[in-house]
């Protein structure tokens, strides 16, 4: 990508991470959202990967830097780097994998431990909702859990592109309003994000 | 049998009887180094057998019968493991390989010394099996096995899936401290693929023309489909345990988890990643190191994947085996403890994308470049670069171990071999064992070092610029065809920076003169901090230059640094403190772009002093050696600093 194209392409640069157990469909959610692609033969993600997508929210161009991670990496090597500077989290489980639903608690704890959770916006996503025959977690259970933690909730299907855009847009909107608040406060020096103002270089984005 | 035929159709038949004779029976492997260099080992049809040799499943001294004896032993060990975990098998053992009665003259007492490479049966203890845990583990493995290279029809085959699952399960049970980790599936899958390309089944062997009955028996014992699972497991186990590749998968446990698991080991992969970033790359390519450091690029983001899977995802799966050839051969030839050549390839790959990286202005752009690595069109050139990287790094190491080497002369492992201090760097006049057809790949053939190729050695300061230009061409992945072909092989090695070239020169010096001439290497190697910093004059000179620079350029420094530095190390500490203060001071002016560069240089210097202070109290011997070369080193330091400032 060229610098010039970057420099005026967006108003905000935001780091979003996708987490959840191995095999719940994180990579497919991402590739559906960013590239409108779905594949049943995705290899397991190793370490991390990321994609970039710019979206419009309330007339503002928001450049999302979305990090995908290996489900197996929880509490492991890469955690700190990965969480650092994240402003949004898509927390994913699979409705056909009960275990992954039960592990949502663990993932939430991991977010608390690794981020300043006040600054981070979350959305809970129950993926693979198209596979009704194999469903192990009901929609009510998902809703109940999300109310318990006060997080917006969507049942999604990366395969049929159901609620994928909605999830990301919901997250993006809340990130923006947080940012606006913070900007109004004017003294949020630790905030890991800068309005770009034509200058593209935001050194602290990404990790560390 | 039908399954076998199907698989055969998918991956073809690559076993080569002639080469089997050459490598396995006659033990003539002198040409494989060249073949590996040119990415031609696949053509031998003996890759799996050679890999077994590289991992010491059998040795080059073994007769064919001794080899078969050792293989038989490993198969027995695997059978025991299989039985041990059979209880927890949830899948019926229909697909399991039947035990073959080992009869005839081959499996018998001819086996020779059978020091079981798997550690023998002692490892097999009564296991405390937890059915729940096992089911969980199986489930976890199954999830990944079912998405391992599924776009490749070979890996959708039931038999392949079963072998992959069994191998991973048994290994994970045997190594429960690490257990199954993602990425292992890909490593094991690669081994399966390589094995099956060269595996023979009975009917096939019968059809081999000109083979005596004894030959056929030997082949059946060596490369039979019957032993696929056991043989692949054995190689996987060797790779993971002996070459310590398993450490790359060790989770970064918390202290509490470590106590629970009775493990004290740190996460080796993070150590390795920071070594690659902060030590190795810095040694090899300072400007890029600096650039990435300033952008705060964290190498673990991409190196985790590169190292664990050994480049299967960055290179095409089949291509990555050529890299593995070199990695495994290096492990074998150099008797390293780990797969060190992986580090060299990683650095070469980072250098390969140097140009785009240098133009990038934030870390996420760099990550994108690394995570979506561009197609490598000229793999031999990449390997060649990695070999050069290795020469530099190895040279660094050998300088550090100077004393040891002087005393013990040569490590005993080399006693009955020709000493070959640098992987592949021992130039050969002719390309042995490569027939004309192979040489014809010249359109992409990289330039290899030849004996007496003095051009490789950096000589002239004026040629630096030219060097850099050539260098950029060489490493521009966007223009792979522009790789210089023949003439001006001069700066084809990695040389980018003056100090880099000097190191390389030294590497060549060492490799050519073996160890008789260590003195000369010291004179050239001023940049090796562990050596040069014990030299008081060096420190003095650097301080003077630094001081001048500070006064002339910035004039901000507090005037605590004294001009007369006849005093050695005791006061260096004081100076070091001053330098640190200066650094702090400078950091306040970070926004100025020139300052950043200065900052970087000062940081380097600080590191240098840091090392010097630590080491000074310990080393006396080296000091004596160094003092003989005082003038040489200090003049170089002055030259270096002048250039920089």
């Amino acid at each position: 990508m060229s610098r010039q194209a970057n420099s005026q392409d967006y108003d905000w640069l935001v780091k979003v991470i996708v987490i959840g157990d191995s095999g719940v469909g994180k990579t497919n959610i991402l590739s559906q959202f960013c590239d409108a692609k779905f594949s049943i033969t995705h290899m397991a993600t190793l370490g991390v990967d990321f994609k970039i997508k710019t979206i419009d929210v309330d007339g503002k161009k928001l450049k999302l830097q979305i990090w995908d991670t290996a489900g197996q990496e929880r509490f492991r090597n890469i955690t700190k780097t990965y969480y650092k500077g994240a402003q949004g989290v898509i927390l994913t489980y699979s409705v056909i994998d009960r275990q992954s639903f039960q592990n949502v608690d663990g993932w939430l704890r991991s977010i608390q431990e690794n981020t300043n959770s006040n600054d981070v916006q979350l959305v809970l996503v129950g993926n693979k909702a198209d596979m009704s025959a194999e469903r192990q977690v009901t929609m009510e259970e998902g809703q109940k859990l999300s109310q318990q933690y006060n997080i917006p909730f969507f049942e999604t299907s990366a395969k049929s592109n159901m609620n994928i855009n909605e999830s990301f847009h919901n997250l993006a909107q809340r990130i923006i309003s947080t940012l606006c608040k913070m900007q109004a406060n004017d003294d949020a020096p630790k905030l890991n994000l800068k309005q770009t103002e034509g200058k593209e270089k935001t050194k602290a984005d990404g990790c560390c | 049998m039908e399954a076998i035929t199907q698989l055969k159709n998918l991956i073809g038949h690559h076993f080569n009887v002639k080469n089997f004779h050459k490598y396995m029976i006659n033990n003539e492997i002198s040409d494989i180094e060249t073949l590996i260099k040119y990415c031609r080992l696949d053509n031998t049809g003996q890759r799996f057998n050679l890999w077994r040799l590289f991992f010491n499943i059998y040795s080059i001294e073994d007769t064919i019968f001794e080899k078969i004896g050792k293989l038989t032993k490993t198969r027995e060990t695997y059978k025991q493991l299989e039985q041990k975990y059979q209880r927890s098998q949830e899948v019926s053992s229909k697909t399991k390989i039947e035990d073959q009665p080992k009869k005839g003259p081959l499996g018998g007492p001819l086996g020779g010394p059978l020091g079981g490479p798997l550690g023998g049966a002692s490892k097999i203890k009564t296991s405390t099996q937890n059915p729940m845990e096992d089911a969980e583990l199986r489930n976890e493995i199954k999830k990944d096995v079912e998405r391992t290279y599924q776009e490749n029809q070979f890996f959708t085959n039931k038999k392949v899936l079963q072998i992959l699952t069994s191998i991973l399960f048994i290994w994970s049970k045997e190594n429960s401290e690490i257990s199954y980790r993602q990425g292992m599936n890909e490593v094991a899958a690669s081994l399966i693929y390589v094995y099956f390309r060269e595996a023979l089944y009975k009917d096939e062997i019968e059809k081999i023309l000109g083979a005596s009955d004894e030959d056929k028996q030997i082949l059946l014992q060596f490369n039979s489909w019957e032993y696929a699972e056991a043989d692949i497991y054995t190689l996987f186990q060797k790779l993971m345990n002996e070459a310590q590749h398993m450490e790359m998968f060790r989770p970064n446990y918390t202290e509490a988890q470590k106590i629970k698991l009775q493990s004290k080991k740190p996460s080796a992969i993070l150590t390795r990643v920071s070594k690659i970033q902060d030590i190795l790359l810095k040694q090899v390519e300072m400007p890029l190191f600096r650039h990435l450091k300033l952008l705060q690029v964290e190498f673990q983001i991409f190196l985790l994947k590169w190292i664990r899977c050994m480049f299967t995802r960055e290179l095409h799966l089949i291509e990555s085996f050529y890299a593995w050839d070199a990695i495994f051969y290096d492990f074998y030839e150099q008797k390293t403890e780990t797969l060190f050549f992986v580090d060299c390839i990683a650095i070469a790959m980072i250098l390969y994308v140097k140009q785009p990286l240098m133009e990038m202005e934030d870390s996420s752009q760099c990550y994108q470049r690394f995570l979506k690595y561009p197609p490598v069109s000229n793999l031999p050139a990449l390997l060649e670069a990695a070999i050069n990287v290795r020469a530099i790094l190895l040279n660094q190491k050998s300088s550090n171990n100077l004393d040891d080497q002087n005393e013990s002369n040569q490590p005993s492992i080399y006693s009955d071999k020709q000493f070959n201090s640098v992987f592949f760097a021992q130039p050969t006049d002719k390309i042995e064992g490569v027939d004309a057809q192979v040489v014809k790949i010249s359109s992409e053939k990289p330039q290899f070092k030849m004996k007496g190729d003095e051009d490789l050695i950096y000589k002239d300061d004026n040629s630096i610029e030219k060097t850099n230009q050539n260098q950029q061409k060489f490493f521009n992945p966007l223009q792979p065809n522009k790789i210089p072909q023949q003439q001006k092989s001069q700066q084809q090695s990695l040389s980018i920076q003056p100090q880099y070239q000097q190191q390389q020169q030294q590497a060549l010096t060492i490799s050519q003169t073996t160890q008789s001439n260590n003195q000369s290497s010291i004179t050239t190697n001023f940049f090796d901090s562990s050596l040069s910093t014990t030299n008081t004059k060096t420190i003095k000179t650097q301080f003077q230059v630094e001081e001048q620079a500070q006064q002339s350029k910035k004039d901000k420094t507090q005037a605590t640094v004294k001009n007369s530095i006849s005093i050695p190390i005791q006061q260096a500490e004081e100076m070091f403190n001053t330098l640190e203060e200066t650094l702090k001071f400078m950091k306040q002016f970070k926004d100025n772009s020139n300052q950043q560069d200065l900052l970087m240089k000062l940081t380097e210097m600080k590191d240098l002093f840091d090392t010097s202070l630590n080491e000074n109290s310990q080393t006396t011997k080296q000091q004596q050696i160094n003092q003989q070369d005082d003038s040489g080193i200090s003049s170089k330091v002055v030259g270096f600093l002048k250039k920089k400032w």
Side-chain angles (χ1 to χ4, degrees):
Chain A
M1 66 171 79
S2 84
R3 256 181 287 152
Q4 284 81 1
N6 257 344
S7 54
Q8 279 135 13
D9 253 7
Y10 58 90
D11 303 305
W12 302 91
L13 177 64
V14 164
K15 177 175 174 181
V16 172
I17 61 177
V18 185
I19 57 176
D21 274 13
S22 176
V24 298
K26 295 180 293 295
T27 304
N28 264 320
I29 288 177
L30 219 72
S31 54
Q32 180 61 267
F33 177 64
C34 296
D35 311 320
K37 274 184 197 155
F38 176 84
S39 159
I40 49 163
T41 59
H42 269 305
M43 303 268 282
T45 306
L46 279 180
V48 299
D49 205 344
F50 79 71
K51 287 184 187 291
I52 285 180
K53 172 142 178 161
T54 308
I55 57 171
D56 268 344
V57 181
D58 303 334
K60 293 252 184 208
K61 277 206 179 347
L62 191 64
K63 184 171 175 181
L64 297 175
Q65 189 186 89
I66 313 165
W67 292 63
D68 187 12
T69 184
Q72 230 192 18
E73 286 293 342
R74 180 155 62 116
F75 308 126
R76 305 209 199 282
N77 294 310
I78 217 155
T79 324
K80 253 194 214 149
T81 311
Y82 181 68
Y83 282 94
K84 195 152 192 175
Q87 292 141 296
V89 179
I90 306 258
L91 174 47
T92 316
Y93 70 90
S94 159
V95 300
I96 65 166
D97 178 357
R98 179 122 211 119
Q99 186 65 44
S100 74
F101 180 67
Q102 282 157 355
N103 286 344
V104 166
D105 279 335
W107 285 107
L108 280 165
R109 232 173 298 131
S110 159
I111 297 169
Q112 271 161 8
E113 280 162 19
N114 290 290
T115 64
N116 184 0
S117 35
N118 292 333
D119 300 341
V120 177
Q121 299 301 318
L122 273 83
V123 62
L124 180 67
V125 158
N127 193 35
K128 305 196 185 180
D130 57 293
M131 299 172 82
S132 46
E134 293 160 72
R135 188 184 270 272
Q136 293 180 3
V137 184
T138 64
M139 192 180 221
E140 287 70 35
E141 285 175 295
Q143 274 164 346
K144 202 177 150 196
L145 187 72
S146 73
Q147 280 156 11
Q148 192 183 324
Y149 289 109
N150 197 20
I151 312 171
F153 167 70
F154 294 92
E155 274 205 350
T156 62
S157 163
K159 195 176 178 181
S160 64
N161 196 12
M162 176 183 103
N163 279 343
I164 300 292
N165 282 323
E166 287 77 357
S167 308
F168 278 95
H169 275 271
N170 180 297
L171 189 69
Q173 231 145 19
R174 283 182 299 120
I175 290 172
I176 285 210
S177 58
T178 316
L179 291 177
C180 290
K181 255 183 243 163
M182 286 188 167
Q183 209 179 29
N185 280 348
D186 205 30
D187 53 356
K190 279 284 168 196
L191 186 61
N192 198 1
L193 164 141
K194 294 168 193 164
Q195 188 157 20
T196 49
E197 291 171 337
K199 203 177 132 196
E200 181 267 339
K201 194 174 170 184
T202 54
K203 208 178 128 212
D205 76 40
C207 65
C208 98
Chain B
M1 187 56 67
E2 210 173 287
I4 293 175
T5 327
Q6 259 178 14
L7 279 176
K8 277 273 161 192
N9 288 338
L10 288 173
I11 52 171
H13 173 76
H14 287 260
F15 191 87
N16 183 313
V17 181
K18 207 175 128 203
N19 284 327
F20 178 80
H21 266 269
K22 184 174 168 189
Y23 297 130
M24 292 298 120
I25 296 180
N26 298 335
N27 290 330
E28 284 174 17
I29 60 162
S30 55
D31 64 341
I32 55 170
E33 187 170 309
T34 315
L35 291 171
I36 289 170
K37 221 157 89 169
Y38 284 93
C39 294
R40 308 302 283 187
L41 197 69
D42 192 31
N43 291 8
T44 62
Q46 291 296 310
R47 180 181 260 158
F48 196 88
N49 284 338
L50 287 168
W51 283 6
R52 285 201 273 221
L53 175 70
F54 298 162
F55 284 107
N56 202 24
I57 289 171
Y58 38 70
S59 87
I60 192 68
E61 282 89 20
D62 288 338
T63 65
I64 188 69
F65 300 112
E66 284 167 338
K67 283 180 186 135
I68 289 172
K70 287 181 179 178
L71 289 176
T72 309
K73 186 97 180 170
T74 64
R75 288 162 192 161
E76 279 161 10
T77 310
Y78 183 73
K79 206 202 299 171
Q80 283 172 305
L81 288 174
E82 227 182 357
Q83 283 162 358
K84 179 178 160 190
Y85 296 113
Q86 202 156 30
R87 272 179 291 162
S88 68
Q89 294 265 15
E90 55 176 24
V91 190
S92 76
S93 55
K94 262 183 227 158
T95 46
K96 200 156 294 157
I97 293 164
E98 305 262 325
D99 300 334
Q100 289 295 306
K102 309 219 164 45
K103 54 182 181 187
L106 302 166
L110 284 167
L114 300 175
L118 275 175
S122 61
K123 253 191 162 179
I124 297 171
K125 52 194 176 196
T126 47
S127 60
T128 50
Q129 287 191 9
N130 181 341
M132 273 294 285
E133 266 177 33
D134 282 3
E136 234 169 77
L137 177 62
R138 274 191 182 284
N139 188 35
E140 201 174 353
I141 291 172
K142 189 168 160 261
K143 250 194 257 178
D144 285 346
V145 165
E146 283 171 356
R147 48 178 177 161
T148 304
Y149 299 122
Q150 290 303 290
E151 70 282 358
N152 184 333
Q153 221 187 330
F154 173 78
F155 291 104
T156 62
N157 181 282
K158 256 190 192 161
K159 174 80 178 164
V160 173
L161 292 177
Q162 176 263 316
I163 291 178
L164 185 53
T165 313
S166 303
I167 287 171
L168 291 172
F169 181 77
I170 291 177
W171 189 89
S172 302
K173 292 297 287 181
E174 281 292 285
N175 299 275
S176 53
E177 199 185 296
I178 289 176
S179 191
Y180 172 71
R181 302 262 85 95
Q182 282 173 338
M184 290 179 185
N185 54 328
E186 291 171 51
V187 173
S190 295
L191 297 182
I192 295 175
Y193 190 87
V194 171
Y195 185 90
F196 275 86
R197 268 165 77 88
E198 293 164 359
L200 297 166
Y201 64 99
K202 220 178 164 201
D203 286 9
E204 220 168 22
I205 292 173
E206 290 300 328
K207 281 179 213 156
I208 296 174
L209 294 173
S212 68
D213 283 350
E214 201 196 10
D215 282 350
K216 287 173 187 171
Q217 278 300 316
I218 288 171
L219 289 176
L220 265 180
Q221 292 292 319
F222 223 90
N223 288 87
S224 170
W225 281 65
E226 312 285 353
Y227 303 122
E229 189 172 322
D231 285 8
I232 295 163
Y233 177 85
T234 305
L235 190 59
F236 182 70
Q237 195 269 348
K238 281 279 175 185
L239 167 61
M240 295 300 271
N241 299 54
E242 303 287 310
Q244 297 176 36
H245 194 57
M246 62 194 250
E247 293 302 326
M248 298 301 106
F249 294 90
R250 186 180 291 276
N252 195 12
Y253 290 124
T254 62
E255 289 307 310
Q257 283 171 316
K258 274 185 194 165
I259 292 165
K260 197 179 155 200
L261 290 162
Q262 297 180 325
S263 159
K264 283 176 189 156
K265 292 189 181 170
S267 162
I269 187 136
L270 293 184
T271 317
R272 191 162 177 182
V273 163
S274 63
K275 186 181 159 208
I276 291 177
Q277 177 170 17
D278 293 332
I279 300 175
L280 304 187
L281 181 63
K282 191 176 171 185
Q283 276 174 7
V284 175
E285 237 290 350
M286 182 63 91
L288 185 61
F289 162 79
R290 261 190 215 146
H291 180 69
L292 295 177
K293 203 80 186 170
L294 283 172
L295 294 184
Q296 298 182 307
V297 172
E298 290 220 26
F299 282 29
Q300 58 163 301
I301 295 288
F302 57 93
L303 277 185
L304 233 66
K305 189 161 53 172
W306 287 16
I307 295 175
R308 281 181 182 162
C309 292
M310 293 185 284
F311 318 111
T312 47
R313 293 209 181 177
E314 288 68 39
L315 312 169
H316 186 269
L317 178 67
I318 310 292
E319 300 261 298
S320 68
F321 298 148
Y322 294 115
W324 288 28
D325 290 336
I327 293 165
F328 297 164
Y329 179 71
D330 183 63
F331 174 74
Y332 166 73
E333 188 60 31
Q334 301 294 327
K335 307 272 190 282
T336 48
E337 281 177 14
T338 56
L339 301 171
F340 176 61
F341 203 63
V342 171
D343 299 17
C344 305
I345 296 180
I347 299 228
M349 282 170 63
I350 293 167
L351 295 177
Y352 194 79
V353 291
K354 178 190 167 191
Q355 240 186 5
L357 286 174
M358 290 303 278
E359 286 164 17
M360 289 171 182
E361 290 191 350
D362 69 45
S363 55
S364 67
Q365 287 177 316
C366 297
Y367 291 141
Q368 273 189 316
R369 181 70 292 166
F370 286 129
L371 291 170
K372 299 235 176 338
Y373 197 77
V376 175
S377 57
N378 191 343
L379 192 57
L382 184 70
L383 290 185
E384 170 75 355
I387 290 162
N388 288 334
V389 167
R390 190 194 204 295
I392 291 153
L393 300 175
L394 188 98
N395 167 49
Q396 292 279 332
K397 224 193 262 171
S398 71
S399 304
N400 292 342
N401 297 334
L402 211 56
D403 285 352
D404 299 340
Q405 287 191 11
N406 280 341
E407 275 158 27
S408 64
N409 213 353
Q410 281 186 6
S412 57
I413 42 170
Y414 294 117
S415 58
D416 53 354
K417 278 183 192 172
Q418 200 196 349
F419 181 71
N420 187 2
S421 70
V422 181
F423 178 62
F424 292 149
Q426 200 73 282
T428 45
D429 277 321
K430 54 182 192 291
I431 303 159
E432 286 176 80
V434 179
D435 55 29
Q437 194 196 345
V438 174
V439 182
K440 263 187 207 159
I441 53 165
S442 57
S443 63
E444 284 199 346
K445 191 182 73 169
Q447 201 62 42
F448 291 114
K449 281 178 269 177
M450 295 294 160
K451 192 174 268 172
D453 199 348
E454 291 181 341
D455 291 335
L456 283 168
I457 299 173
Y458 165 70
K459 278 176 183 163
D460 185 4
D461 279 13
N462 300 329
S463 69
I464 294 171
E465 258 181 47
K466 200 166 134 200
T467 310
N468 285 341
Q469 282 165 9
N470 277 347
Q471 186 51 42
Q472 282 163 1
K473 268 185 205 159
F474 182 66
F475 275 115
N476 186 351
L478 306 171
Q479 299 165 298
N481 293 332
K482 281 200 180 173
I483 289 167
Q485 286 293 317
Q486 268 249 312
Q487 67 309 11
K488 296 183 215 156
S489 68
Q490 192 147 340
Q491 283 85 21
Q492 284 230 356
S493 37
L494 291 167
S495 359
I496 286 160
Q497 269 201 304
Q499 73 264 29
Y500 179 93
Q501 287 164 354
Q502 281 173 7
Q503 284 166 358
Q504 182 165 34
Q505 175 181 13
Q506 193 192 346
L508 288 171
T509 311
I510 284 192
S511 74
Q512 278 161 9
T513 61
T514 319
Q515 289 163 341
S516 59
N517 211 352
N518 284 327
Q519 290 292 329
S520 68
S521 69
I522 296 166
T523 39
T524 44
N525 193 3
F526 74 90
F527 210 68
D528 183 345
S529 55
S530 67
L531 283 173
S532 60
T533 50
T534 50
N535 185 320
T536 29
K537 269 195 185 172
T538 314
I539 293 170
K540 178 181 164 186
T541 324
Q542 285 190 337
F543 259 105
Q544 282 171 342
V545 177
E546 195 231 326
E547 205 181 345
Q548 283 164 14
Q550 282 180 5
Q551 282 169 359
S552 61
K553 265 202 168 181
K554 296 299 154 197
D555 224 356
K556 289 171 188 164
T557 323
Q558 283 127 17
T560 35
V561 181
K562 285 171 188 161
N563 251 327
S564 57
I565 317 183
S566 53
I567 25 81
I569 315 307
Q570 285 82 3
Q571 297 209 353
E573 197 167 1
E574 204 181 308
M575 299 185 252
F576 178 62
N577 289 337
T578 315
L579 188 58
E580 245 187 347
E581 272 178 37
T582 318
L583 265 172
K584 271 184 211 157
F585 186 62
M586 309 281 280
K587 274 175 189 162
Q588 297 169 3
F589 298 88
K590 216 176 172 180
D591 45 345
N592 184 332
S593 60
N594 287 334
Q595 292 266 9
Q596 288 212 334
D597 207 31
L598 186 66
L599 199 67
M600 213 58 207
K601 278 164 191 160
L602 283 170
T603 315
E604 266 165 46
M605 265 182 205
K606 182 175 159 275
D607 288 349
L608 195 69
F609 281 105
D610 223 354
T611 339
S612 98
L613 286 175
N614 288 337
E615 286 184 7
N616 235 298
S617 50
Q618 296 158 12
T619 38
T620 49
K621 227 185 215 172
Q622 286 192 347
Q623 211 166 351
Q624 288 169 1
I625 302 169
N626 287 341
Q627 267 161 6
Q628 298 169 9
D629 300 304
D630 268 358
S631 56
I633 297 169
S634 49
S635 68
K636 284 210 162 65
V637 172
V638 174
F640 166 69
L641 289 167
K642 272 181 184 162
K643 226 177 274 173
K644 289 219 149 184
W645 295 91

